[in-house]
Structures are given as C-alpha cells and as structure tokens.
Amino acid sequence: MDKLSKQQRHKCMAAIRSKDTKPEMIVRRGLWKRGFRYRLNHKRLPGHPDLVLRKYRTCIFVNGCFWHGHNVSLNIEHGPLNIESSECCKIPNTNREFWVAKIRRNKERDREEQKRLAAMGWHCITVWECELTPKKREETLESIAFTLNHIWLQDHQARAVTYPKQEEEDMQMPMAAETPCQYFGFDEAMRPVLDFYNLGAEVTAFTTTRLGGCESSGKYASFNINRFCGDTDEHIRRNRALLCQRLGISDDHLLMPHQVHQTRIAQVDERLMTLTPTEKTEALEGYDALMTDLRGVCIGVSTADCIPVLLYDKVHHAVCAVHAGWRGTVARICQKAVAAMSSAYGSRPEQLRAQIGPGISLDSFEVGQEVYDAFRTAGFDMTAISRRYPAGEDEKWHIDLPECNRLQLIAAGLPADSISVSAVCTYRQPNRYFSARRLGINSGRLFTGIIMMA
C-alpha cells in the first residue's frame, strides 16, 4: 500500500528531473571533450533523444537504471508481480504493482521508439546510469567514442552520404538520419544492429543482436546467421549478406565453426581460405575456437547464453574467437586458446587484450549439483564463482560463467586491466539478445566476431 497520498505522490514525481540530469551532463562533457558535437532533445525525433549526432547518424539515450528497468525482465507469463529486481534496479515492495506497471510502460515505450528511429536510419546507443560511476565512467565514454567513430568510418567506406541542403529547422517532416532509403539493396531497417568493443584501432570486434536482419520469424527473429540451429537457409544467406556488407568483406571471409562444447581450436590460414565453401564447413566441423593472423578475415563464434571471448595480439597481429559454454569453461578453453596463440604466433599473454562478450549471468545461470561438482572437481575456486539461491523450498547452485573465464585469462597471464567484461545478461534481455534458456535450443544465435583491418 502506498504511504503517500495522490497529491504527495504527484508532487514527488513532478520534482524528478527529465533533462540535464547528472548522468546526461557526464556524457555531454565527456563527448564534447573528445571533439563530438551534438544537439539536445531533438523534438522531431521519436523519444526526444538526449543527444543527437547527425554526422554519425546516432541518437544517444542516457537512462536512469530504475526508471527504465535496467536488466529487469518484465515477463508477465508468471504474473505481473513475479518480477525480480536487478542489481541496479530495485523495484520497491511498497505499491509494487504501480512501479512494475510504470517500469514496464517505460521499457515498452523505449523499445518502440528505438524501432522507429532504426526505421528512419538512426543508430541508437543507450548509456545506463550504472555505467557512469567513477570506476566505469572513462571506459564507458571511450567505448561511446569508439562506436561513433566506427560507425562513421564504416559508412564512409561503404558509400557517400548526401544530406538535404535545407536547414533542419526549415524541415516540416520528422528529421531522418540520411536521405538514402536503401542499405546495399536492402531496406534500411534490415541493417544489422551490432554491439562494438574497443580492443584496438586495427581491429573491429562486435556482437550481433536480434535487431535488424531479413525478418527471420519466431524464435529466430530477426538477425541470425547460425545454420546449425534450425533457421531457413534463405534467411541465413540474406543475413550473412547484410553482415558482410556492413563489414566490407565477401561471404567467404566470414567464418564460424560448428561448435560442439569441447576445446579444439582451428587455425585459419591461407590454405584454409583457398577451400570451397563446402570444404571450409567440413574443415571447421567440431571446433569451439578459431584463430588467425590474416587481415580482412572475420572469425567468430555463435552463442545464446554461452560466453564468447575475443583475444587480440597487437604485437604479433593475431586474433582469436572462443566459444566457452559451461563444458568448455570447465575444460579451460580460454587458457588453451592463449596457449595456442603463443604456440602459433608467438603471442605473449601479457600483451593480449580480451573481451568477454554477452552471456548468461550468475543470477540467471541455475545449475544442477552435477554441474557444480564438475567445476569443483576441475579445481575452480567455488567461493569466487558460485552462489546458492533460494528455489522454492530448496536452494539451487548458480555459476558465474563470465567470472570463470575472466579468472582463467588472468591465470593464463593476461593482466586484469586488459580484460573487459560485458555487463549484458542474455537471459534477462531476450528482446535484444538470443537466449537458449528462454527460447529453447531451436532458436537464433548471436555471432561474436573479430576482424583485423586489411
């Protein structure tokens, strides 16, 4: 029951600032200091984005974690109040139904507004309040700057963009990001939406999302390039074409193995690149990691709750993409990948940079006793990677897979400050990321890839 009257509640809500908040000012100052110029709260765009950078075709939303339900999955299948708070969004127990409904409306509105912006040709970046804490602030701002520059470079490598001559203030229609309505022969709305990582100026590292694509249906909607999970060949072919266009490579330079939850690592070399597509598929059967020192070749792995890991050796110009499910993690595939790069390319662990991509989090990864025992038997520090959570009248073990792999990389010799970890839990964000635990095995997959510039 709400302890405040309607008048008191209205007064409190009205006092909350919707513009010029502290997180917004941090982002504004950080980008301005880095040379970016922008407009604020453009009224002709859906959602009135906090920052609009037309040169980069990008809208930035700076969201408060509570008001926009950061990492909160508002699934109403089990009742409107059966919703767990996230670490940065604590839903009050007082007047809970009101807050759940309000946060749900905010999240639904955010999603619809970003869809409308994507249809108009805009990229959308969401910056969360928790990503602007003093410890994370500079890394977040650098990541935004890297993503903006990457968008600009890719657009100008692919095509020349022509903007309307008239001033925006004189335009009577909603402002579009650019005049072309086609993206390499596809509708602009099909442009794949990628999450980029800053591993170095010479590499492009990314994870695909569910957004964009050729409208694969149901649990594959809408961007999936994994041919081993039940999607149609035509959807996969078209989505691969979209991704290759965005990366500026041909289809035969986009490589992904058929993963089997083991620890075999394939070396992509000149000989493999001369094989036919069928021969390449056969050559990459049964591997869970790829590595290469070839430029212009995108290697990657497929996940939907498992942990993708990217490695980059700037000194020896080599990269590696690793699929670390719980079985591969128990078998220490990340440590084996570091050792394989050292053997093949002379890589030194202290010179490597690593990105641990989106996957299932500790809070969401409930396991049986046999999985817990597998980690314990393999010598993992269970106090650092596991926790018991209430489950009805019982308790269940949860395992922190991202932390398991981070600790493996440190054990292999990588400095802790050379390892970046995505804050995304795929299970908690099924609208943007595929999650096999939520959608089932027959569903789409994310692709986490890395390519050294040619």
mmCIF file of all heavy atoms in Angstrom, residues 12-31:
data_model
loop_
_atom_site.group_PDB
_atom_site.id
_atom_site.type_symbol
_atom_site.label_atom_id
_atom_site.label_comp_id
_atom_site.label_asym_id
_atom_site.label_seq_id
_atom_site.Cartn_x
_atom_site.Cartn_y
_atom_site.Cartn_z
ATOM 1 N N CYS A 12 6.048 14.547 -5.636
ATOM 2 C CA CYS A 12 7.353 13.871 -5.673
ATOM 3 C C CYS A 12 7.768 13.539 -7.106
ATOM 4 O O CYS A 12 8.918 13.754 -7.504
ATOM 5 C CB CYS A 12 7.314 12.589 -4.836
ATOM 6 S SG CYS A 12 7.216 12.877 -3.060
ATOM 7 N N MET A 13 6.830 13.006 -7.886
ATOM 8 C CA MET A 13 7.133 12.625 -9.266
ATOM 9 C C MET A 13 7.458 13.853 -10.111
ATOM 10 O O MET A 13 8.329 13.821 -10.976
ATOM 11 C CB MET A 13 5.959 11.862 -9.872
ATOM 12 C CG MET A 13 5.618 10.568 -9.173
ATOM 13 S SD MET A 13 6.873 9.296 -9.370
ATOM 14 C CE MET A 13 6.560 8.803 -11.059
ATOM 15 N N ALA A 14 6.727 14.963 -9.866
ATOM 16 C CA ALA A 14 6.950 16.174 -10.649
ATOM 17 C C ALA A 14 8.307 16.790 -10.367
ATOM 18 O O ALA A 14 8.851 17.526 -11.199
ATOM 19 C CB ALA A 14 5.835 17.189 -10.365
ATOM 20 N N ALA A 15 8.875 16.498 -9.205
ATOM 21 C CA ALA A 15 10.159 17.072 -8.838
ATOM 22 C C ALA A 15 11.339 16.354 -9.493
ATOM 23 O O ALA A 15 12.470 16.841 -9.451
ATOM 24 C CB ALA A 15 10.322 17.046 -7.316
ATOM 25 N N ILE A 16 11.079 15.189 -10.093
ATOM 26 C CA ILE A 16 12.156 14.422 -10.716
ATOM 27 C C ILE A 16 12.520 15.053 -12.052
ATOM 28 O O ILE A 16 11.665 15.289 -12.897
ATOM 29 C CB ILE A 16 11.725 12.956 -10.914
ATOM 30 C CG1 ILE A 16 11.468 12.314 -9.552
ATOM 31 C CG2 ILE A 16 12.790 12.185 -11.668
ATOM 32 C CD1 ILE A 16 10.840 10.953 -9.641
ATOM 33 N N ARG A 17 13.797 15.294 -12.277
ATOM 34 C CA ARG A 17 14.241 15.964 -13.488
ATOM 35 C C ARG A 17 14.272 14.986 -14.651
ATOM 36 O O ARG A 17 14.743 13.862 -14.520
ATOM 37 C CB ARG A 17 15.629 16.568 -13.271
ATOM 38 C CG ARG A 17 15.679 17.570 -12.145
ATOM 39 C CD ARG A 17 17.092 18.032 -11.874
ATOM 40 N NE ARG A 17 17.626 18.845 -12.959
ATOM 41 C CZ ARG A 17 18.827 19.417 -12.929
ATOM 42 N NH1 ARG A 17 19.611 19.243 -11.870
ATOM 43 N NH2 ARG A 17 19.246 20.155 -13.931
ATOM 44 N N SER A 18 13.779 15.430 -15.796
ATOM 45 C CA SER A 18 13.818 14.597 -17.002
ATOM 46 C C SER A 18 14.894 15.067 -17.966
ATOM 47 O O SER A 18 15.216 14.371 -18.935
ATOM 48 C CB SER A 18 12.451 14.634 -17.700
ATOM 49 O OG SER A 18 12.123 15.965 -18.084
ATOM 50 N N LYS A 19 15.458 16.249 -17.727
ATOM 51 C CA LYS A 19 16.518 16.789 -18.578
ATOM 52 C C LYS A 19 17.651 17.315 -17.699
ATOM 53 O O LYS A 19 17.452 17.641 -16.528
ATOM 54 C CB LYS A 19 15.988 17.915 -19.473
ATOM 55 C CG LYS A 19 14.932 17.487 -20.472
ATOM 56 C CD LYS A 19 14.485 18.674 -21.311
ATOM 57 C CE LYS A 19 13.401 18.271 -22.299
ATOM 58 N NZ LYS A 19 12.933 19.414 -23.117
ATOM 59 N N ASP A 20 18.840 17.379 -18.314
ATOM 60 C CA ASP A 20 20.013 17.930 -17.629
ATOM 61 C C ASP A 20 20.327 17.202 -16.333
ATOM 62 O O ASP A 20 20.749 17.809 -15.338
ATOM 63 C CB ASP A 20 19.812 19.424 -17.352
ATOM 64 C CG ASP A 20 19.579 20.223 -18.623
ATOM 65 O OD1 ASP A 20 20.127 19.837 -19.666
ATOM 66 O OD2 ASP A 20 18.828 21.215 -18.574
ATOM 67 N N THR A 21 20.117 15.903 -16.332
ATOM 68 C CA THR A 21 20.452 15.115 -15.146
ATOM 69 C C THR A 21 21.966 14.954 -15.049
ATOM 70 O O THR A 21 22.706 15.201 -16.005
ATOM 71 C CB THR A 21 19.791 13.732 -15.213
ATOM 72 O OG1 THR A 21 20.301 13.038 -16.360
ATOM 73 C CG2 THR A 21 18.276 13.849 -15.332
ATOM 74 N N LYS A 22 22.429 14.506 -13.912
ATOM 75 C CA LYS A 22 23.866 14.333 -13.713
ATOM 76 C C LYS A 22 24.467 13.341 -14.714
ATOM 77 O O LYS A 22 25.514 13.630 -15.319
ATOM 78 C CB LYS A 22 24.149 13.891 -12.274
ATOM 79 C CG LYS A 22 25.641 13.724 -11.978
ATOM 80 C CD LYS A 22 25.873 13.317 -10.536
ATOM 81 C CE LYS A 22 27.372 13.120 -10.270
ATOM 82 N NZ LYS A 22 27.609 12.723 -8.847
ATOM 83 N N PRO A 23 23.837 12.163 -14.948
ATOM 84 C CA PRO A 23 24.398 11.256 -15.959
ATOM 85 C C PRO A 23 24.460 11.896 -17.348
ATOM 86 O O PRO A 23 25.433 11.688 -18.088
ATOM 87 C CB PRO A 23 23.437 10.060 -15.920
ATOM 88 C CG PRO A 23 22.860 10.073 -14.555
ATOM 89 C CD PRO A 23 22.717 11.525 -14.213
ATOM 90 N N GLU A 24 23.414 12.654 -17.725
ATOM 91 C CA GLU A 24 23.433 13.318 -19.030
ATOM 92 C C GLU A 24 24.606 14.286 -19.124
ATOM 93 O O GLU A 24 25.303 14.333 -20.146
ATOM 94 C CB GLU A 24 22.128 14.086 -19.247
ATOM 95 C CG GLU A 24 20.934 13.218 -19.590
ATOM 96 C CD GLU A 24 19.703 14.073 -19.831
ATOM 97 O OE1 GLU A 24 19.840 15.172 -20.421
ATOM 98 O OE2 GLU A 24 18.605 13.662 -19.426
ATOM 99 N N MET A 25 24.836 15.058 -18.082
ATOM 100 C CA MET A 25 25.915 16.040 -18.111
ATOM 101 C C MET A 25 27.278 15.366 -18.200
ATOM 102 O O MET A 25 28.187 15.882 -18.853
ATOM 103 C CB MET A 25 25.844 16.930 -16.856
ATOM 104 C CG MET A 25 24.554 17.740 -16.731
ATOM 105 S SD MET A 25 24.183 18.736 -18.201
ATOM 106 C CE MET A 25 25.567 19.874 -18.175
ATOM 107 N N ILE A 26 27.423 14.213 -17.573
ATOM 108 C CA ILE A 26 28.683 13.473 -17.673
ATOM 109 C C ILE A 26 28.944 13.059 -19.116
ATOM 110 O O ILE A 26 30.059 13.216 -19.637
ATOM 111 C CB ILE A 26 28.652 12.231 -16.756
ATOM 112 C CG1 ILE A 26 28.671 12.665 -15.285
ATOM 113 C CG2 ILE A 26 29.827 11.305 -17.054
ATOM 114 C CD1 ILE A 26 28.452 11.521 -14.319
ATOM 115 N N VAL A 27 27.903 12.534 -19.779
ATOM 116 C CA VAL A 27 28.064 12.110 -21.170
ATOM 117 C C VAL A 27 28.323 13.318 -22.079
ATOM 118 O O VAL A 27 29.194 13.282 -22.947
ATOM 119 C CB VAL A 27 26.824 11.327 -21.641
ATOM 120 C CG1 VAL A 27 26.923 11.003 -23.121
ATOM 121 C CG2 VAL A 27 26.666 10.040 -20.833
ATOM 122 N N ARG A 28 27.574 14.385 -21.881
ATOM 123 C CA ARG A 28 27.765 15.583 -22.712
ATOM 124 C C ARG A 28 29.201 16.104 -22.606
ATOM 125 O O ARG A 28 29.861 16.353 -23.617
ATOM 126 C CB ARG A 28 26.799 16.681 -22.268
ATOM 127 C CG ARG A 28 25.350 16.433 -22.613
ATOM 128 C CD ARG A 28 24.573 17.688 -22.233
ATOM 129 N NE ARG A 28 23.161 17.415 -21.993
ATOM 130 C CZ ARG A 28 22.317 18.305 -21.513
ATOM 131 N NH1 ARG A 28 22.741 19.520 -21.193
ATOM 132 N NH2 ARG A 28 21.036 18.002 -21.330
ATOM 133 N N ARG A 29 29.666 16.292 -21.381
ATOM 134 C CA ARG A 29 31.015 16.836 -21.191
ATOM 135 C C ARG A 29 32.076 15.886 -21.734
ATOM 136 O O ARG A 29 33.066 16.319 -22.326
ATOM 137 C CB ARG A 29 31.248 17.109 -19.707
ATOM 138 C CG ARG A 29 30.373 18.232 -19.147
ATOM 139 C CD ARG A 29 30.655 18.463 -17.674
ATOM 140 N NE ARG A 29 29.760 19.469 -17.109
ATOM 141 C CZ ARG A 29 29.016 19.297 -16.032
ATOM 142 N NH1 ARG A 29 29.042 18.127 -15.398
ATOM 143 N NH2 ARG A 29 28.236 20.258 -15.580
ATOM 144 N N GLY A 30 31.852 14.576 -21.508
ATOM 145 C CA GLY A 30 32.837 13.600 -21.982
ATOM 146 C C GLY A 30 32.952 13.584 -23.487
ATOM 147 O O GLY A 30 34.061 13.510 -24.040
ATOM 148 N N LEU A 31 31.817 13.642 -24.190
ATOM 149 C CA LEU A 31 31.861 13.638 -25.648
ATOM 150 C C LEU A 31 32.357 14.970 -26.194
ATOM 151 O O LEU A 31 33.094 15.009 -27.189
ATOM 152 C CB LEU A 31 30.469 13.322 -26.208
ATOM 153 C CG LEU A 31 29.960 11.900 -25.961
ATOM 154 C CD1 LEU A 31 28.595 11.697 -26.618
ATOM 155 C CD2 LEU A 31 30.945 10.865 -26.487
#
